[in-house]
């Protein structure tokens, strides 16, 4: 068979539940979870360090080269907090996870994020930065906003993806 399985992007502000949801999608569908943050760390795809912000500067070219190899076979759930750097052609479905401000606050506090980081991420979520970015970077009909405040919502999101994938498979002759 020459037809490939689709690639799905799961994006959203840190703490909205991308990794947990992606793992559940992978388990429910057999797709492969690609955690981009982990990929960057493992491959040391950095080209510098910003002392003031305590963050590394991403080497986008190296990351994209590595991902191109992984994604060309299809069948991946890609998990990353931003989405504009990826080529549009890579993804067949883009999920933007959303959480309420107090949900996000509690999750980040549990994770030990400092106040600056919490404020930054809550503002990002309130301003729907990632949703706007996704709508600008991908065809609007493949971008789906999903609320992820509770475990029930997460489970129903996973079910929705499973149904989407089943429909996709039958449309594409799998
Ligand atoms: P992200 O990868 O987007 O930063 P995680 O998947 O690591 O987010 O989730 C952050 C925390 O919130 C984890 O402790 C996770 O168990 C919890 N969590 C994520 N999504 C939900 C949800 N829908 N309902 C309840 N807890 C959630
Ligand atoms: Mn994560």
């Amino acid at each position: 068979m020459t037809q490939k399985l689709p690639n799905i992007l799961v994006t959203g502000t840190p703490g909205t539940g991308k990794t947990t949801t992606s793992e559940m999608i992978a388990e429910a569908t057999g797709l492969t979870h690609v955690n981009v943050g982990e990929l960057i760390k493992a491959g040391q795809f950095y080209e510098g360090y910003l002392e003031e912000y305590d963050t590394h500067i991403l080497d986008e070219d190296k990351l994209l080269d590595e991902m191109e190899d992984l994604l060309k076979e299809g069948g991946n759930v890609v998990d990353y907090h931003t989405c504009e750097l990826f080529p549009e052609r890579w993804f067949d479905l883009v999920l933007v996870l959303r959480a309420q401000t107090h949900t996000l606050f509690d999750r980040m506090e549990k994770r030990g994020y400092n106040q600056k980081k919490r404020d930054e991420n809550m503002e990002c979520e309130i301003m729907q930065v990632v949703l706007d970015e996704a709508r600008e970077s991908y065809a609007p009909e493949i971008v789906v906003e999903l609320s992820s405040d509770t475990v029930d919502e997460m489970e129903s999101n996973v079910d929705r993806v499973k149904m989407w994938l089943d429909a996709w498979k039958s449309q594409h002759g799998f």
Side-chain angles (χ1 to χ4, degrees):
M1 187 181 292
T2 54
Q3 180 67 56
K4 293 175 207 131
L5 283 170
N7 290 311
I8 299 172
L9 175 64
V10 179
T11 189
T13 307
T16 48
K18 299 178 297 296
T19 301
T20 317
T21 303
S22 300
E23 278 168 359
M24 285 176 67
I25 292 172
E27 195 160 315
T29 61
L31 298 182
T32 306
H33 177 201
V34 177
N35 185 327
V36 176
E38 299 289 323
L39 213 62
I40 293 167
K41 269 191 225 154
Q44 295 281 304
F45 300 142
Y46 304 123
E47 53 178 19
Y49 179 73
L50 283 175
E51 196 106 19
E52 194 189 339
Y53 297 96
D54 183 29
T55 47
H56 292 278
I57 303 161
L58 177 64
D59 188 334
E60 276 191 20
D61 289 344
K62 276 197 192 149
L63 173 67
L64 295 181
D65 278 356
E66 166 110 357
M67 286 182 71
E68 178 82 58
D69 278 347
L70 289 174
L71 297 194
K72 68 179 177 223
E73 300 304 330
N76 299 283
V77 187
V78 174
D79 151 11
Y80 199 45
H81 57 77
T82 172
C83 62
E84 99 236 293
L85 72 170
F86 304 130
E88 196 180 350
R89 65 185 158 78
W90 276 2
F91 299 107
D92 303 282
L93 178 67
V94 175
L95 306 176
V96 183
L97 301 188
R98 303 299 310 274
Q100 289 177 33
T101 315
H102 63 91
T103 312
L104 215 52
F105 180 89
D106 291 347
R107 289 179 191 168
M108 287 190 291
E109 196 163 50
K110 268 197 195 141
R111 262 191 188 174
Y113 280 19
N114 64 33
Q115 192 189 338
K116 185 164 167 248
K117 217 157 189 177
R118 288 197 308 254
D119 288 349
E120 242 168 54
N121 285 332
M122 284 189 295
E123 184 178 320
C124 171
E125 185 59 10
I126 290 164
M127 303 296 287
Q128 59 173 60
V129 172
V130 183
L131 181 64
D132 287 347
E133 193 186 310
R135 286 182 174 151
E136 280 161 25
S137 309
Y138 300 91
E141 62 271 21
I142 73 159
V143 177
V144 181
E145 180 182 13
L146 295 172
S147 140
S148 184
D149 284 292
T150 63
V151 172
D152 277 357
E153 282 177 340
M154 185 157 59
E155 283 170 355
S156 104
N157 293 340
V158 174
D159 283 346
R160 231 176 120 173
V161 174
K162 195 168 183 308
M163 284 193 288
W164 177 88
L165 183 64
D166 288 344
W168 191 96
K169 280 180 178 170
S170 67
Q171 271 167 27
H172 290 80
F174 275 81

